Every structure is written in C-alpha cells, then in structure tokens.
Amino acid sequence: MLKVVQDTYRLPDYEIALWQTNLFKALPQDVSNSLLTSCKLLELPKNETLHLQHDTADWFYFILSGWVKVYRETQEGDEAVIELLGTGDFVGEFAFLEGGCYTSDAAAAEKTTLVKMPAFLLKEAATKSHATALALLSGFADKRQRQTQELEGLKLQNAPQRIGCYLLRQCGGKEMGKHRLNLPYGKSLIATQLGMKGETFSRALQKLKKATHVGVTGRKVQVPDICALAEFVCAGCSNEYPCKDVLLDPRQSA
Amino acid sequence: MLKVVQDTYRLPDYEIALWQTNLFKALPQDVSNSLLTSCKLLELPKNETLHLQHDTADWFYFILSGWVKVYRETQEGDEAVIELLGTGDFVGEFAFLEGGCYTSDAAAAEKTTLVKMPAFLLKEAATKSHATALALLSGFADKRQRQTQELEGLKLQNAPQRIGCYLLRQCGGKEMGKHRLNLPYGKSLIATQLGMKGETFSRALQKLKKATHVGVTGRKVQVPDICALAEFVCAGCSNEYPCKDVLLDPRQSA
DNA sequence: CGTTGACTTGAGTCTATTCAAATCCTGTGG
DNA sequence: CCACAGGATTTGAATAGACTCAAGTCAACG
C-alpha cells in the first residue's frame, strides 16, 4: 500500500526541511544523525491511507509537505478529524507506548511527502537519550495544547465563530490591520476539521462575511479589519487575539 | 486563596496514596523521595479555585481524593470543561513548558485533597532524570488519549450516546452482564463534562433509559445488560466495548 | 465542450438550547 | 425526628442552530 519512492539512506533534498521541524531540532545531533540513516522518503498521493487505527505502530512519520488527516471512523461510516497535520508535524507518536498501536486512522489529505522511520528506533532513542525524551515531551505538549483549543472551540463556539477562529489562526497572530491569505486546503476538509458538515460551513461562512466584512473567493481570503474579526470570534473563546498559544504551523511555535 | 492545612515535610497519611498514582510510580525512587520532601498537603473545599488560566504555573498537583475540574471560560461567562480529574491524576503539567503558564482554569468540583509541589522541582527532576521525563511522557500520552476520545465523542455522538459512553467507562470494561454503580459526582457536572447543558442531560438520559433499559435513580445506576448499552453507544464510536484505551480512572491504566 | 468534483442554496427535520416553572433532595437547625 | 431553605434535577414550550437530502451553480480539466 505504501509506496517508497526513494530508498536511499540519505535524504539530501529533504534533510534541511527535516531539521526545521520542532521535534527534530530538539534532538541531540548524534541521535538525529543516526535516525536519518534509517529514514525513508515517502510520497503519498491524495487520499492514500498512511495507517489504520489498531494497526501495530511500526512507523513514525515527519511531514515534509502536504497535509495528513488523522481521523476516526464509526461503524456507521461517520468520520471525525482528530488533527490535520502539515509541514513540520509528526504522525504516529503513539508508537512510543507499550501497546504500540495507532489510535486513529491517518491518510493524506493532499499529495504529501513524508519521512518515514522505524518506530522502534525512535523509541530506543527516547529510552537512551534524555534529550530525545524531553524533545518528545515538548512535542506532545504542543499537540495537546492544540487539541485542548479545539475542544474548547467545539464546546463554546458556533459554526461562524469556529470558522473565524480558523481564519485568525491562519493570519498568524502578528500584525493588526489588513490581511490577505489563501486557504491551505479545500473548504469541505476545513469543515470536517472544524466539526461541521460542508453545507453548514458554506452557510456559516456567509454569516461570518456579513458580520466581519471578511471576503472569501475560492481559496482567497481577505481580512480588511482583523480587529472586527477578532471581536466576533473571541467573544466565544477563553483567549483573545492574538492567541499565541494556538498556532497552526508547528514551526512557528516555541 | 489556597489554604495549606498541613505544612509538614512528610506526608505519612497520604504517601501511600501518592505512590499509587501512575506518574509517581514511574519516578525513580530518589527523585520521588526528594519530591516528597517538598510536598505540601492541600485541602480545597468545593468550588475553590486551584489556579487560573495565564497564571504563572508555579505549582504542580497530585489529586489524592475528590475531583478537580479543569475548564476555560469565555468573556461571556460560558464555560467548557477540558478535563475532570480524580484520584491519582495530576494537574498543572504545563508548568514544564518554557512559558510556564497554566492553560486553563482549575477548581475543586468537590471537596478535594491534593499534594502540592513546586513546579520548578519537577521541572528540574525531568531535566536531570531521564526516567522522570519518560514517566511524564507516558502521563502526557494518557491524557492526550483521553482527550482524543472526548473529541471524537463530541463530533460523532449525540447526547444520549455520550451519556451511555460515560456509563460504559464507569463500568470499567471488565465483565459483561449486569452492573451496578454510583455516579462519582453530580449530574450537572457530568453534563458540562460531556459538553451539554443540564436540561439536555436530563432529557437525553430519559432516551437512553428507554433505549437500553439502564436505570438511574439519584446517583445509583443499574445496567441490566451491558451489551445492549454498548450496542447503542458504540454505533457512534470508533471503538467497541470494552474500549480499553479509554479509562476514567488513571490508576486502572497501564 | 462536456464531465467531474467542489461548493452553494433551498426546504424541511431534528437536536440541543433557552427561559421558566415545578419537583426532588440534602444538609441544618430546632 | 421533623420542617425548611437552598441547591440540584426535571419538565414544558418555544427557539435556534446544525443536519439531511436534493437540486443547482461554478470552475478546472481532459
């Protein structure tokens, strides 16, 4: 099922990208070097499965480009997106636990390039290297942070606010005033991520436009007044814009 | 605000309880001994605040008895329960991160006894002791697991199913057949934890009773046929009963 | 230029919420 | 042991938000 496009034991093209990731940066050099030796480069076409829930967690992945949807599916076929991971993020961290099974399904939401490494190696690295364990701890904490934020949003914000919150996070939280950006992936995927149906997303977006004067055309987004947006969104949130704790791109944090 | 009821540098009465906790068990003996030296026993009456979001995370807590509600509040006063922690659980783990602020409010949901220790000590322990870091890693993973499950439930299950799921977890996942148990705290608190209003809880419970023949009188719960309950609940979940990954009491796991 | 997939819109339904009122419970003081 | 205040829970009626299903629009692509 998985297609290994390159089996070299060096990753000249991507090594630099890998070093940008939070977790990898934090590894002591000898550990990361030895890990690199065992890495494989993996390219997944859109919709290809990466792993399934309850599979033995033999592999651990870093995302170099694209998007990976980590999700769960009920017997009835409904699906819940648990996290949507992008460049610099890692997948399969439950490989570390004793049971060693994945706890969710994962699939490429877009054409995605990853670095794949044997889980036991990283487990071993964590066991042997204190710095690795600390790096993982920090990575886990990051993820938990983001997840907590999502939980809060689901419980406290309505559909238009959740979309607005998503846009705010896309803005990156630096400057006030005008912003212009592109949605990183399709609207229906954003909808699922935010815990709503595609139709609801579409309607909620209309409301958001009227309430905050944001403009959305295709994937292009214009935010004429980020304060207006923040006012609308943050009324239903425990944080105020800029909510630094909560960033979409893992490379921005820490 | 916090009332220290006992300032001894030994905890004869509670030391045993502390050793039962997952995290503490995993600490190397010299670390846990030195931590114990700096612990204080803390008793909180119901509704007393433990810490607030954005406070500097100076303290780290173990729960000996009672329940701690970790929650967030919007400007408008709505509140979302992030986690509801009981005996053996720990509170304030974000004390480890650089920023070092709590990311949520926390308060005693019932009369609660905790062990309180300076965060910097545990941070130091994690930095110096590899085993401590690994123990924390495992503790973090546990929490993330539970949170993921909650996220899934919110997105995929309706109110009666979420209540049913809660009851299933209370049953502990061991034997089939009949079960009899008591709710650990009030219904409105369970409602908030499950992301619904008290009134909704009440009505949803009626539906659950009719659909699965569970009986609830006050805090007493009777489950005549756990399979019927599981069938009703697990249709909307990625797991099937018994869902071992997801336990309420941290002492049961691992 | 037609096809496909992504998105939008409409109508009707269902679920959960709000607000208000009624009941039930529990701990307390007498 | 009993009555009672105050909180917790239940119930009712009306409303709002999100969902389903179905149809329509739009745009990219072969």
Side-chain angles (χ1 to χ4, degrees):
Chain A
M1 184 199 299
L2 302 178
K3 211 176 14 162
V4 175
V5 294
Q6 192 184 336
D7 252 321
T8 58
Y9 287 94
R10 269 287 161 184
L11 301 164
D13 299 343
Y14 288 104
E15 206 166 305
I16 294 165
L18 197 56
W19 281 98
Q20 297 289 333
T21 67
N22 255 349
L23 181 51
F24 228 76
K25 264 193 300 205
L27 298 181
Q29 197 146 22
D30 57 323
V31 173
S32 50
N33 276 335
S34 88
L35 282 176
L36 276 174
T37 305
S38 311
C39 284
K40 291 180 183 181
L41 193 61
L42 180 68
E43 200 162 296
L44 285 186
K46 186 171 175 175
N47 294 327
E48 189 89 7
T49 301
L50 192 57
H51 61 67
L52 294 176
Q53 192 174 3
H54 307 306
D55 279 357
T56 313
D58 293 328
W59 301 94
F60 183 83
Y61 306 89
F62 281 99
I63 303 173
L64 295 178
S65 70
W67 294 97
V68 170
K69 177 178 71 173
V70 178
Y71 63 104
R72 292 183 170 193
E73 242 175 22
T74 67
Q75 297 164 23
E76 296 175 339
D78 287 335
E79 103 177 17
V81 171
I82 302 300
E83 35 183 4
L84 202 38
L85 304 172
T87 305
D89 245 316
F90 55 87
V91 186
E93 64 268 27
F94 283 101
F96 292 101
L97 304 186
E98 34 247 275
C101 286
Y102 298 115
T103 60
S104 306
D105 303 326
E110 304 283 339
K111 182 161 175 290
T112 300
T113 312
L114 319 103
V115 173
K116 167 184 183 174
M117 66 181 64
F120 76 89
L121 271 183
L122 201 47
K123 203 186 294 189
E124 200 176 277
T127 313
K128 286 184 183 163
S129 147
H130 190 185
T132 304
L134 289 176
L136 280 169
L137 199 55
S138 150
F140 270 49
D142 272 5
K143 284 208 176 190
R144 208 162 106 70
Q145 194 85 334
R146 279 189 268 167
Q147 206 170 27
T148 300
Q149 189 60 35
E150 199 187 344
L151 203 54
E152 176 188 346
L154 267 181
K155 285 187 175 175
L156 295 177
Q157 297 179 313
N158 60 20
Q161 285 175 322
R162 292 212 293 280
I163 298 175
C165 191
Y166 181 87
L167 293 182
L168 279 182
R169 280 174 297 182
Q170 293 294 323
C171 287
K174 311 251 160 150
E175 315 115 39
M176 289 303 180
K178 294 183 187 180
H179 278 262
R180 194 178 296 267
L181 59 99
N182 284 307
L183 299 179
Y185 35 80
K187 288 176 183 168
S188 40
L189 186 54
I190 301 180
T192 326
Q193 185 185 4
L194 298 178
M196 64 188 84
K197 292 291 141 76
E199 298 94 320
T200 302
F201 181 92
S202 183
R203 284 185 255 261
L205 187 53
Q206 305 307 325
K207 287 189 193 169
L208 184 69
K209 281 177 182 173
K210 275 175 199 155
T212 67
H213 308 297
V214 299
V216 180
T217 316
R219 289 198 176 180
K220 290 192 198 102
V221 181
Q222 286 188 3
V223 182
D225 176 11
I226 207 166
C227 291
L229 181 55
E231 195 178 348
F232 178 82
V233 169
C234 301
C237 185
S238 71
N239 296 302
E240 283 174 29
Y241 187 81
C243 36
K244 302 171 200 171
D245 298 342
V246 193
L247 294 167
L248 266 187
D249 184 340
R251 284 171 308 177
Q252 292 171 8
S253 65
Chain B
M1 181 199 302
L2 303 178
K3 212 176 9 162
V4 176
V5 293
Q6 191 184 336
D7 253 320
T8 58
Y9 287 93
R10 271 285 161 186
L11 301 165
D13 298 342
Y14 288 104
E15 207 166 305
I16 294 165
L18 198 55
W19 281 98
Q20 298 289 335
T21 65
N22 254 349
L23 181 51
F24 228 75
K25 264 192 299 206
L27 297 181
Q29 196 146 26
D30 56 324
V31 172
S32 49
N33 277 334
S34 88
L35 282 177
L36 276 174
T37 304
S38 310
C39 284
K40 291 181 182 178
L41 192 62
L42 181 67
E43 198 161 298
L44 285 186
K46 186 172 176 175
N47 294 327
E48 189 89 7
T49 301
L50 192 58
H51 65 242
L52 294 175
Q53 191 175 6
H54 308 307
D55 279 357
T56 313
D58 293 329
W59 302 94
F60 183 83
Y61 306 90
F62 282 99
I63 302 173
L64 295 179
S65 71
W67 294 96
V68 170
K69 175 177 73 173
V70 177
Y71 63 103
R72 291 182 170 193
E73 240 175 23
T74 68
Q75 298 164 23
E76 295 173 342
D78 288 335
E79 101 175 20
V81 172
I82 302 300
E83 33 182 10
L84 202 37
L85 304 172
T87 306
D89 246 315
F90 55 87
V91 187
E93 64 268 28
F94 283 102
F96 293 101
L97 304 186
E98 34 247 276
C101 285
Y102 298 116
T103 60
S104 306
D105 303 326
E110 305 284 340
K111 182 164 175 287
T112 300
T113 312
L114 321 102
V115 173
K116 166 183 181 176
M117 65 181 63
F120 76 89
L121 272 183
L122 201 47
K123 201 185 295 188
E124 202 176 274
T127 312
K128 287 184 185 163
S129 147
H130 190 183
T132 304
L134 289 176
L136 279 169
L137 200 54
S138 149
F140 270 48
D142 272 5
K143 284 208 176 192
R144 209 161 107 70
Q145 195 86 334
R146 279 190 270 167
Q147 204 169 27
T148 300
Q149 189 59 34
E150 199 187 345
L151 203 54
E152 176 188 345
L154 267 181
K155 287 186 175 177
L156 296 177
Q157 297 179 314
N158 60 22
Q161 285 175 322
R162 292 210 292 280
I163 298 176
C165 191
Y166 181 87
L167 294 182
L168 279 183
R169 281 172 297 180
Q170 292 295 324
C171 288
K174 312 250 159 148
E175 315 114 39
M176 290 301 181
K178 295 184 186 182
H179 278 261
R180 195 177 297 267
L181 58 99
N182 285 308
L183 299 178
Y185 34 80
K187 288 176 185 170
S188 40
L189 187 53
I190 301 179
T192 327
Q193 185 186 3
L194 298 178
M196 64 188 84
K197 293 291 140 81
E199 298 93 321
T200 303
F201 181 92
S202 181
R203 284 185 255 261
L205 187 54
Q206 306 308 324
K207 288 188 193 169
L208 184 69
K209 282 177 181 171
K210 275 176 199 155
T212 67
H213 308 295
V214 298
V216 180
T217 317
R219 288 197 176 181
K220 290 191 198 100
V221 181
Q222 286 188 1
V223 182
D225 177 10
I226 208 165
C227 290
L229 181 55
E231 195 178 349
F232 179 82
V233 169
C234 300
C237 185
S238 70
N239 296 301
E240 284 173 30
Y241 186 82
C243 36
K244 302 171 199 170
D245 298 342
V246 194
L247 293 168
L248 265 187
D249 185 340
R251 283 172 307 176
Q252 292 171 7
S253 65

